[in-house]
Each structure stands twice: as structure tokens, then as C-alpha cells.
Amino acid sequence: MPSHPTAEHHRLHQDQTRERNWKRWGPYLAERQWGTVREDYSADGSAWTYFPHDHARSRAYRWGEDGLFGWTDRQCRLCFSIALWNGRDPFLKERLFGVTGPEGNHGEDVKECYYYLDSTPTHSYVRGLYKYPQVEYPYARLVEENRRRTRAEREFELTDAGVFDDGRYFDVQIEYAKAGPEDVLVRVTIANRGPDDAEIALLPQLWFRNTWSWGCTQEGCAVRPWIQRGGAAHVFAEDPRLGRYRFVVDDRDVDVEWLFTENETNVERLFGAANPSPHTKDAFHAYVVDGRKDAVNPKGRGTKCGALVRLVVEAGRERVLRLRLVAEREAPRTAFGRAFEELFAEREQEAREWYQHHLPEHASPEEREVMRQAWAGLFWSKQFYHYVVDAWIEGDPEQPAPPAERKAGRNKDWLHVYNRDVISMPDKWEYPWFAAWDLAFHTIPLARLDPAFAKGQLELFLREWYMHPNGQIPAYEWAFSDVNPPVHAWAVWRVYKKSAPAGKRDRRFLASSFQKLLLNFTWWVNRKDASGKNVFQGGFLGLDNIGVFDRSRPLPTGGHARAGGRHRVDGVLLRDDAVDGARARAGGPELRGHGVQVLRALRAHRRRDEHARRHGALGRRGRLLLRPDPARGPEAPPQVALDGRAPPADRRRDPRERGRRAPARLQEAHGVVPGERARPRAARAERRARR
């Protein structure tokens, strides 16, 4: 049996070998499901207005769920999160709020104060903090003020509204600790930072994602699950695929009032039609805020439940609520007590030991804290993402037929896409959808922290239900066909190198990824290699930033902008992948052919670059504006460097380059692929010998 430096390493090993399913549950719930493309069934693709924040509390989601610091299984069947009410807001705080793309003076932006403080890779210990104002939350003011401001002005934030003045807010800390893969302990601590005693209603919620209202034929849509009261302090939740769970609240120091309803749309409130069920998704808002006792199901049964606890928190003091979600077959005889607190202390200590193992010894205490919280943010930002494009375009049998314009609209060429996975997200509120470009960068730090997850994420986007048959990798849900920089090959190579020492690396991962990356490379060559030189161009993004010009589109003045350094990186890494894969005999020597062609192209372009740089034809960053010159013909356009320096007329073209396009420089990749720009020849040879 292999030894492991920490308990968390052991859990990662058990999960990877499928000995124990430690990652089945985690903070995979989105912070925002409303306003997303997958919930948009409009004719014109206006996702923000079709499903706004005002609908979120009353309207069932089709493709996911959201909540405040939520928790769910990896297929988002059973969900948990907390809701809060300070006695002044017009509705419960059960999800984060922000301005939409059209409302914000700088686009969409979350307007909350919340922090991901801690997490391990298996989510054996997780901690987050939310700051909830004791005065009324300024929903309307945030929208109006940000909409009024111009792009030249700073954004209007929640702190600008004065809601935290005099410390009149609650610190709401939520912690999760796993006693086992199917046994999750929850501790909610509410601290009053204000000068006076303050009331707060806390409503932990457990519910099933609505899979039964659509008449869909995908996996998991057939059977309706249920939640039912089992006693004064617990309920049972059962789904045929997930199993039976017990949800328990520690009621020794608090009074608990159980509420039940259905996770179904309030059609009457939103659309003026009769509700098919008298108990709807927003029933708890009606009960707590409006005092409507008839809004909840008196029979103690439904697909959504809540444990309402009303607290008075003294000034400068805190209150704690303990909960537990456990598979019925693993339920302990005593849910709370001394063992509960000891388990939390043990998991927190194990998290410290795991981070201690990974943090650099030379880092200062402050630097170590920054790194730890940054890594915790990566683990918190894993999210369940569900999007089946053909079903989304066609609509569901038991729902109104979507407009015909959708069949010629967004993502119409990606009917093969079937997303139902936990994916590393750029941000679970502002970008609660995957971005292939961002994800490639996420996997680099994850390669040492959780190698299996990092490799799995890169392989996922090369699978046939993600990658297009033509070889393109989907960009993001707003436009899968957008061209992003080809950094996937770079990420595969870096993860391969960083995830294990030489001699122990996963060449199966490298070889299998290389086969699919060749398809992607072929797509680039066929679609984005206008000059036929095996070094291609295009994409609206720079290597690590957004450029001034979209290189996939013509310039307003004609011609196009070109910066191909990042694509050379793709070629270099394909070459290295091929050589290493062939060395392992995992893919055979046939893998090297295309990589060698790329290498030859790179060498030729490098010689041309050196000549162009000496003669001033390239700007500081190696980007060119290629504009047509009618006097000289389309095959010999003049070049203008993007740094504003026009090259002298007699130096615009190398005589050997007449009638050809000017190459781009590798320098643009400097800083992202360390050492590739100016690595000494001897050092390069030494590194190759060590591989």
C-alpha cells in the first residue's frame, strides 16, 4: 500500500483509484444560473432579459441550479444552500446579486461581498464568508447608478451605498467537513458586527433540481424525487439514482420550523396564468417575508424544503447552527455532539497539513495565506455545468415550442455537444460557464495540487461530445464557434510535465491527448492558415490578454491584424508531444510527422523574423497590421507596426519575402511559456536529455 504525506493525499488517491468516491459531493452549485445562455429560449438570444434576477426566485431552472455558498452532487440532483432575511429586504437573500451586461457601465458585475476562504481538492474541508447588510439591500440603486454611469467612470459598488456603515452587517461563515464521501457536516456561524442587537432569519434549504417538468428524454429525466419530514429535527430525501439521504438540523439551542414546497415555476406571478401546483419555488419568500402561511405545503412533503430558524444575535456576538446531510445507510446514531466538533477540527488540521506540504518554504506568512486562498478559490470554482445543445434548440415536449429563429441562431452548428460535468469555471457568478481558454490556464496550478482533475479537465474538452467533428474546441456558451488562442496543447504539455517527476509521467494522457490535438491543429491549419505555412493566425484574444483588434475579422480600414506567436507555441508543443509520445511507444513514430513539419515552418519563419526585426518591419510586440495597397497589389501589402512606428519605405519588405505574408514573432509568447524565447542552446539540449 503506497504511503501518503497527508490524509488529503490519501483521499485523492482513493478517489482516483475509485476506492472511495470522495468527490461525489462538493461546492459544485453555481452562484448564478439566471441570465445564462442555456436558460435562454428567446428568439433573439437576449439571455439577460429572458431570464432576469427577478425571475430567479419564482422560476424553475431547466439546466442547473444556483444558491448562496451551495453544495451539490456531481450531477446536481440534490442541492443545499442557505437563505437569509434581515427583516427589511423585499425577498430572501438566497443567491448573489449583480448588474447584467446591459446594466453595468463595464458589463456584468456581481455586487456582493463574499470570500472563498478555504477548500481542499476533495472538499473534505471547505469554508466561505458572506457579508450581509442589516439595512435593506439596495437592489434598485445599484442598477440605476451603474446604468447611469459611463464607461469612463468607476463602477458603483455595494460598499459605496453605505450599507456597511457603523459595522451594521452580519458575517455569515459557512463550513463543510466530510466524515465520509456520503456524510457532510455543515456549520453556519452568524456574527453581528454592528453596535446593536439584530434579528436575522436563517433558512438552510435542501431541494432537488427540477428534471420532471420538461418531458425530456435525456438521462435522469424520468422519475420525480421527493423530500418528506421524518421527525422534529430531520427530513428524508430520496432519488432513485442518488439514493436516500437524511438531512438533520441541530435543534438543541434553537427552534426549527420545517417548510415544504415544490421546485416548480410560479406561473401566476410571472405570466398571469394558473399554477399547476399551489406550492411553487418562491413559497418560502411568501411565507417568511409576506407572512403567507398557505404558501407552503402543510403535509410536510415536496421537492424542496427549508429549516427556518429565527435568531437574535447580540452586538459583537455570534450564533452557530449545525446541520448534517448523510446517506441513510451511513447515518450515525448521534448526528451532533462532541464527535461533530472533533471531526471539524480534524478536517481543518488536515487541510493545513496538505497546504503546508505544497506551499513554498521561503514564502512569508502573508504570501502563504494569499496562495492558500487563491488555491481555495480554484477548488470553490468547480461547478456542475449542463447543456445539451440539440435539446436546447428543439425545446422540450411539455413546454411551449421555442421560436423558429433559434434553429438558425446561437450554437446551431454544435448539435453534438452534451455537457453534464463538473468543470473549472472562470467565475461562478460573472462567468458561470466554461471558457476553454481560461480552463487551460486553470489546469497549470491544478497540475500539482490535483493532477487527476487537471488532466481530466483537459481530456474532457477533447472528447467527441465536446470537440467538434471538424476539430474545433468549443469556446464558451455565448458562441462555441468563437476562435480562442490554441493554448490547449501548451496546457497538456505543462500538465504532463508538472504533474509528476521525470520517469513517472503519464504518457498515456500525453499520447491520447496528442491524437485529439492533431485534429484541432488540422482545423487551425485548414481554417486559419491563409498563407499555407503551417503557422496560423486568428482569434480575438491575445495570448494572455484581449487585444485591440479581433484578428479573426477584417480591420475597419481593410486588411487584418496578425500576431502568430501563440500559434507557434502550439506547434512547438505539438512537436514535443509527438516526440515524447513516440518515445513512450504510446502513439508510435507516426505521431512525429506533423510536428516535424511544424518545426520546419517555425525555423523558416524565425529566420524571416530576424531579418524583419533588423530592418524595422516588426513592432515591439511583434504584431502587424496588414493593409492592402492597390498600387502594389494584394500580394505585397505594406506593414505598419502596432506600436505606431511605420517602417521606412525601403525596409518594408525583405526581397525574399515579396509576394508573401510577413510572419509573426515568438516574442509575444514570452512570459507564458517560460524559457522558450531565449533559452541557451546548451540548456535546451540538457533539458531534452532529462526528459
Side-chain angles (χ1 to χ4, degrees):
M1 180 177 178
S3 60
H4 304 283
T6 70
E8 182 63 15
H9 283 87
H10 184 50
R11 281 188 286 269
L12 283 169
H13 174 76
Q14 288 182 319
D15 187 83
Q16 184 178 356
T17 58
R18 300 192 176 185
E19 181 181 345
R20 303 192 73 187
N21 197 357
W22 282 105
K23 293 182 183 176
R24 188 182 200 188
W25 294 85
Y28 308 143
L29 200 65
E31 305 287 5
R32 174 175 65 83
Q33 184 71 12
W34 60 273
T36 59
V37 166
R38 52 199 182 279
E39 297 294 343
D40 172 29
Y41 284 78
S42 65
D44 58 356
S46 54
W48 288 114
T49 56
Y50 179 81
F51 204 131
H53 176 267
D54 184 56
H55 284 202
R57 64 184 182 274
S58 303
R59 189 171 175 180
Y61 293 125
R62 171 62 177 86
W63 297 101
E65 290 290 344
D66 60 16
L68 186 60
F69 286 158
W71 189 266
T72 187
D73 65 280
R74 61 160 49 102
Q75 292 186 11
C76 196
R77 291 166 288 198
L78 183 60
C79 310
F80 167 84
S81 75
I82 59 172
L84 307 165
W85 190 54
N86 55 18
R88 295 174 174 83
D89 287 350
F91 44 81
L92 299 177
K93 171 66 68 174
E94 60 180 358
R95 58 182 52 81
L96 298 176
F97 174 76
V99 294
T100 68
E103 292 169 347
N105 59 326
H106 297 149
E108 65 267 33
D109 185 37
V110 61
K111 301 299 182 183
E112 302 274 12
C113 288
Y114 66 105
Y115 308 88
Y116 299 145
L117 298 179
D118 215 342
S119 179
T120 59
T122 64
H123 313 294
S124 58
Y125 178 72
V126 176
R127 181 165 59 98
L129 175 67
Y130 175 70
K131 294 184 177 292
Y132 185 43
Q134 295 174 5
V135 299
E136 182 177 348
Y137 189 94
Y139 291 100
R141 187 182 176 194
L142 286 167
V143 172
E144 293 166 1
E145 184 62 27
N146 280 283
R147 181 183 282 155
R148 183 190 64 79
R149 296 191 178 191
T150 67
R151 290 189 177 183
E153 297 178 273
R154 61 180 295 272
E155 298 170 8
F156 184 74
E157 305 291 357
L158 182 62
T159 52
D160 299 325
V163 295
F164 297 118
D165 291 353
D166 302 322
R168 296 184 184 276
Y169 66 90
F170 297 103
D171 268 344
V172 182
Q173 178 177 270
I174 186 166
E175 298 171 276
Y176 298 95
K178 291 183 179 179
E182 303 282 349
D183 188 359
V184 182
L185 285 60
V186 187
R187 187 166 61 190
V188 182
T189 304
I190 300 179
N192 180 0
R193 302 305 186 195
D196 303 315
D197 298 353
E199 296 182 2
I200 185 172
L202 172 61
L203 184 64
Q205 300 180 103
L206 187 74
W207 73 98
F208 283 105
R209 176 168 62 91
N210 189 325
T211 59
W212 57 86
S213 295
W214 324 106
C216 60
T217 57
Q218 290 91 37
E219 182 181 355
C221 292
V223 182
R224 184 186 184 113
W226 54 265
I227 301 174
Q228 182 172 316
R229 185 166 183 169
H234 71 275
V235 299
F236 293 111
E238 184 168 332
D239 178 278
R241 303 153 299 161
L242 192 62
R244 186 170 186 175
Y245 285 79
R246 179 181 295 190
F247 180 51
V248 194
V249 178
D250 185 359
D251 62 348
R252 291 175 296 177
D253 300 322
V254 296
D255 294 326
V256 179
E257 185 178 3
W258 287 100
L259 309 178
F260 294 84
T261 189
E262 302 294 340
N263 185 16
E264 296 187 358
T265 300
N266 187 339
V267 181
E268 181 178 354
R269 173 183 177 256
L270 298 178
F271 309 112
N275 281 322
S277 169
H279 309 296
T280 57
K281 179 180 177 180
D282 55 6
F284 301 162
H285 298 265
Y287 184 92
V288 177
V289 179
D290 301 330
R292 286 183 46 205
K293 304 298 183 182
D294 62 335
V296 298
N297 189 345
K299 296 181 180 180
R301 184 183 175 92
T303 50
K304 180 179 180 180
C305 77
L308 178 61
V309 177
R310 302 179 188 270
L311 302 171
V312 176
V313 186
E314 299 175 356
R317 304 295 294 273
E318 61 184 35
R319 298 288 299 272
V320 179
L321 182 66
R322 298 167 182 84
L323 310 100
R324 194 162 189 162
L325 178 63
V326 55
E328 179 64 16
R329 64 182 180 277
E330 298 182 12
R333 181 173 300 178
T334 303
F336 306 103
R338 181 177 178 181
F340 184 95
E341 300 300 331
E342 289 177 347
L343 191 283
F344 257 106
E346 180 181 348
R347 291 293 180 264
E348 191 171 3
Q349 176 61 26
E350 291 170 352
R352 281 195 292 268
E353 292 172 355
W354 183 83
Y355 276 103
Q356 185 73 18
H357 179 81
H358 287 281
L359 290 167
E361 295 181 359
H362 64 271
S364 68
E366 183 179 8
E367 290 170 337
R368 295 165 74 86
E369 188 64 27
V370 169
M371 292 183 68
R372 177 170 178 169
Q373 192 168 342
W375 292 343
L378 273 176
F379 300 137
W380 261 102
S381 296
K382 293 192 288 188
Q383 176 191 309
F384 170 77
Y385 183 87
H386 192 25
Y387 185 25
V388 182
V389 174
D390 62 346
W392 174 76
I393 289 178
E394 291 294 331
D396 293 310
E398 296 183 12
Q399 296 296 312
E405 294 90 335
R406 290 166 51 80
K407 295 185 178 181
R410 179 175 285 134
N411 298 331
K412 65 181 183 302
D413 298 324
W414 293 80
L415 300 180
H416 69 287
V417 168
Y418 192 106
N419 305 140
R420 193 179 66 166
D421 300 282
V422 172
I423 301 175
S424 180
M425 297 290 163
D427 182 283
K428 289 169 71 174
W429 193 95
E430 293 192 18
Y431 308 101
W433 29 262
F434 70 77
W437 181 63
D438 299 68
L439 180 136
F441 288 107
H442 297 174
T443 61
I444 306 307
L446 287 168
R448 285 181 177 162
L449 306 175
D450 189 354
F453 180 72
K455 289 184 285 188
Q457 292 286 282
L458 292 171
E459 288 182 310
L460 181 64
F461 279 70
L462 300 176
R463 300 304 299 265
E464 55 271 23
W465 52 89
Y466 278 72
M467 176 183 274
H468 198 280
N470 65 16
Q472 186 178 9
I473 295 174
Y476 38 79
E477 67 176 24
W478 290 88
F480 279 154
S481 295
D482 262 10
V483 180
N484 281 189
V487 294
H488 215 81
W490 168 75
V492 166
W493 180 247
R494 295 302 297 152
V495 168
Y496 167 72
K497 297 292 288 290
K498 290 170 70 71
S499 58
K504 297 183 179 180
R505 292 171 181 151
D506 187 355
R507 282 174 167 164
R508 181 218 57 82
F509 159 71
L510 185 69
S512 63
S513 298
F514 182 83
Q515 296 283 4
K516 292 298 187 73
L517 288 169
L518 275 183
L519 294 177
N520 182 240
F521 180 83
T522 303
W523 175 83
W524 274 102
V525 169
N526 290 337
R527 297 294 184 92
K528 298 295 178 181
D529 182 22
S531 60
K533 302 296 183 182
N534 283 321
V535 180
F536 33 89
Q537 69 280 332
F540 83 94
L541 294 168
L543 187 60
D544 58 355
N545 66 321
I546 295 179
V548 177
F549 299 101
D550 184 344
R551 301 178 187 96
S552 292
R553 302 177 183 275
L555 294 169
T557 56
H560 66 276
R562 175 170 179 175
R566 59 181 183 266
H567 307 288
R568 293 192 185 190
V569 174
D570 196 39
V572 168
L573 296 167
L574 279 173
R575 175 204 68 194
D576 290 343
D577 287 359
V579 172
D580 219 56
R583 184 179 295 134
R585 300 183 182 274
E590 67 275 4
L591 298 182
R592 291 179 291 183
H594 213 152
V596 171
Q597 295 180 36
V598 175
L599 176 58
R600 290 173 179 170
L602 295 177
R603 286 173 175 169
H605 278 273
R606 182 174 297 170
R607 290 193 296 269
R608 295 164 188 159
D609 280 3
E610 291 298 327
H611 187 279
R613 183 166 52 249
R614 288 196 301 269
H615 289 270
L618 287 177
R620 180 174 57 85
R621 296 293 291 169
R623 306 173 197 171
L624 303 177
L625 288 180
L626 303 184
R627 297 185 297 184
D629 186 345
R632 301 183 65 194
E635 292 300 320
Q639 305 166 25
V640 179
L642 285 189
D643 58 8
R645 297 184 295 107
D650 60 341
R651 294 184 178 179
R652 284 180 176 175
R653 303 290 274 184
D654 175 6
R656 294 175 295 177
E657 289 293 304
R658 292 193 183 278
R660 303 178 185 176
R661 294 175 181 266
R665 296 168 59 195
L666 186 59
Q667 182 176 347
E668 193 177 55
H670 175 51
V672 179
V673 186
E676 285 292 341
R677 175 172 172 261
R679 185 184 301 161
R681 186 170 300 177
R684 288 199 298 268
E686 182 181 353
R687 288 175 69 94
R688 290 195 187 100
R690 290 201 305 264
R691 290 185 189 135

